[in-house]
Amino acid sequence: MKTIDELLAEGVDGKRVFVRADLNVPMADGLITDDGRIRAVLPTVKALADAGAKVVVASHLGRPKGAPDLKFSLLQAAERLGELLGAPVAFAQDTIGPAAHDAVNGLEPGQVAVIENLRFNAGETSKDDTERGEFADQLAALADVYVGDGFGAVHRKHASVYDLPARLPHYAGYLIATEVGVLKKLTEDVKRPYVVVLGGAKVSDKLAVIDELLGKADRILVGGGMVYTFLKAKGYEVGSSLLQEDQLDTVTEYLERAEKTGVEIVLPVDTLVAPEFPDLSGKAPANPATVAADAMPAGQMGLDIGPETSKLYASKLADAATVFWNGPMGVFEHPDYAAGTRAVAQALVESKGFTVVGGGDSAAAVRILGFDENAFGHISTGGGASLEYLEGKTLPGLAALED
């Protein structure tokens, strides 16, 4: 795929450059709680603006149902982008209507505009090729050139990600180029030992990547809510913990295959439990108890890996040359259940290997728990996209940039 450096060499002065970013930031009470994705697209936006482009930034936020919904407006993201750029950013209150055209037509070389949430138009996410294409045609009227830099959306066959690049000269932004380079280090000529840490709520979300990694990783450390399906598959009681019984046969097969192929699947030896899910406001103490992983009491819910497991996982990461981590070890949003996730993050910080935090909740946890982002080899902006790449899938947004 052609990169933004090639575009800059060709010259962009006065050209309208459409940047498909990922400004899908977490919000609470109308405020951005983590601006990592906005900061991630800054190098691309700034380089284009500095070169005299008229930069049109577009993104989605949340899951509006194909119509305007103010709680999913990109206004806050646009204002934060302006603060980080140190320059005014125009904001259009629609995507392809008069406000968008006025905002773009009002740009001088070196200025930036953000148009409203792409998913306010049903054509963005439509499964109908014609409807998606019509929306892409309308977006194309706003620009002369397309730059894809929303890595968190490249696994979606959406109009602004897949159809629009075919209608304009297209290039990969700095973020996508970096993300793809990192993922190649996890899939091609990997330095070993290669250790993968998987967490999060549902084992079903990770089955495809586990299936692929059983032939590539040396160790897979499992935590989060998904681990209780693994423990149940080993014959352990899991109380009222999150359990996907329909996945037990698949997990059992994976455990058997790992043993035959020499891949080490590491499961908790202890876990933190409580009778119910904690109050995530943090105001009420959770008062967890630590129990052996094979001795879960009835009526108790597993909510984090235990202290002995934290030590075990740190030891399994100590000699790693390559690490990929996707998914927290517990309900890290509550301080009583953050220790397991903190231990994994700390082990990555101390690692001498190449460490990748695979986006999503893992990236959020790194920031919420106060770790220096520069202490990791790479923090991805797209958890779902990273997983699908590691599964060996073709990502529509990347394929569109390669054509």
Side-chain angles (χ1 to χ4, degrees), residues 314 317-320 343-353 355 371 375-376:
L317 289 162
D319 67 341
V344 167
Q346 185 63 41
L348 265 65
V349 168
E350 295 173 1
S351 171
K352 292 181 173 60
T355 57
F371 285 91
F376 302 88

Side-chain angles (χ1 to χ4, degrees), residues 186-188 190 192 194 196 198 206-218 220 250 253-254 257 261 263 386-393:
L186 299 177
T187 54
E188 303 172 10
V190 182
R192 299 184 178 279
Y194 178 21
V196 176
L198 296 176
K206 305 292 196 300
L207 287 178
V209 76
I210 293 171
D211 185 55
E212 186 72 17
L213 289 169
L214 282 174
K216 295 179 178 177
D218 297 299
I220 301 175
T250 302
E253 189 271 324
Y254 285 173
R257 186 165 19 130
T261 57
V263 176
S386 296
L387 286 176
E388 291 199 13
Y389 190 101
L390 293 182
E391 289 166 20
K393 291 183 177 179

Side-chain angles (χ1 to χ4, degrees), residues 221 309-319 343-344 346-347 350:
L221 317 183
T309 303
S310 292
K311 293 176 187 175
L312 172 65
Y313 285 13
S315 71
K316 295 292 184 179
L317 289 162
D319 67 341
V344 167
Q346 185 63 41
E350 295 173 1

Side-chain angles (χ1 to χ4, degrees), residues 119-375:
R119 292 185 183 176
F120 284 2
N121 189 302
E124 169 68 359
T125 59
S126 176
K127 296 189 185 311
D128 182 86
D129 291 349
T130 300
E131 184 178 11
R132 243 185 16 257
E134 289 173 351
F135 183 49
D137 287 339
Q138 292 171 302
L139 290 173
L142 297 171
D144 305 305
V145 182
Y146 177 93
V147 172
D149 216 30
F151 180 73
V154 293
H155 58 316
R156 306 296 187 193
K157 193 176 181 181
H158 291 170
S160 66
V161 175
Y162 178 75
D163 302 274
L164 183 55
R167 288 157 169 79
L168 294 169
H170 47 271
Y171 303 80
Y174 289 125
L175 175 61
I176 279 187
T178 298
E179 295 272 14
V180 171
V182 166
L183 288 168
K184 285 183 176 179
K185 288 185 179 181
L186 299 177
T187 54
E188 303 172 10
D189 193 26
V190 182
K191 293 183 178 179
R192 299 184 178 279
Y194 178 21
V195 184
V196 176
V197 186
L198 296 176
K202 295 182 178 179
V203 68
S204 56
D205 294 341
K206 305 292 196 300
L207 287 178
V209 76
I210 293 171
D211 185 55
E212 186 72 17
L213 289 169
L214 282 174
K216 295 179 178 177
D218 297 299
R219 297 179 205 129
I220 301 175
L221 317 183
V222 186
M226 63 180 284
V227 79
Y228 300 101
T229 303
F230 277 84
L231 294 175
K232 184 70 173 179
K234 288 181 68 70
Y236 299 166
E237 290 302 320
V238 296
S240 59
S241 305
L242 184 63
L243 174 64
Q244 290 187 276
E245 292 197 43
D246 60 330
Q247 304 298 338
L248 284 171
D249 288 345
T250 302
V251 169
T252 299
E253 189 271 324
Y254 285 173
L255 289 169
E256 292 171 351
R257 186 165 19 130
E259 190 170 354
K260 290 177 183 176
T261 57
V263 176
E264 185 181 8
I265 293 183
V266 187
L267 301 177
V269 294
D270 61 349
T271 183
L272 265 61
V273 300
E276 59 188 11
F277 199 82
D279 171 12
L280 293 185
S281 70
K283 295 176 182 177
N287 298 319
T290 301
V291 300
D294 60 356
M296 175 87 69
Q300 296 289 309
M301 177 184 297
L303 296 166
D304 192 14
I305 59 173
E308 292 304 314
T309 303
S310 292
K311 293 176 187 175
L312 172 65
Y313 285 13
S315 71
K316 295 292 184 179
L317 289 162
D319 67 341
T322 305
V323 182
F324 175 74
W325 171 32
N326 181 280
M329 297 294 97
V331 187
F332 73 92
E333 299 91 341
H334 193 290
D336 287 355
Y337 300 105
T341 302
R342 184 185 297 279
V344 167
Q346 185 63 41
L348 265 65
V349 168
E350 295 173 1
S351 171
K352 292 181 173 60
F354 178 60
T355 57
V356 179
V357 180
D361 286 341
S362 305
V366 162
R367 298 183 182 108
I368 289 169
L369 297 176
F371 285 91
D372 179 359
E373 295 179 44
N374 295 320

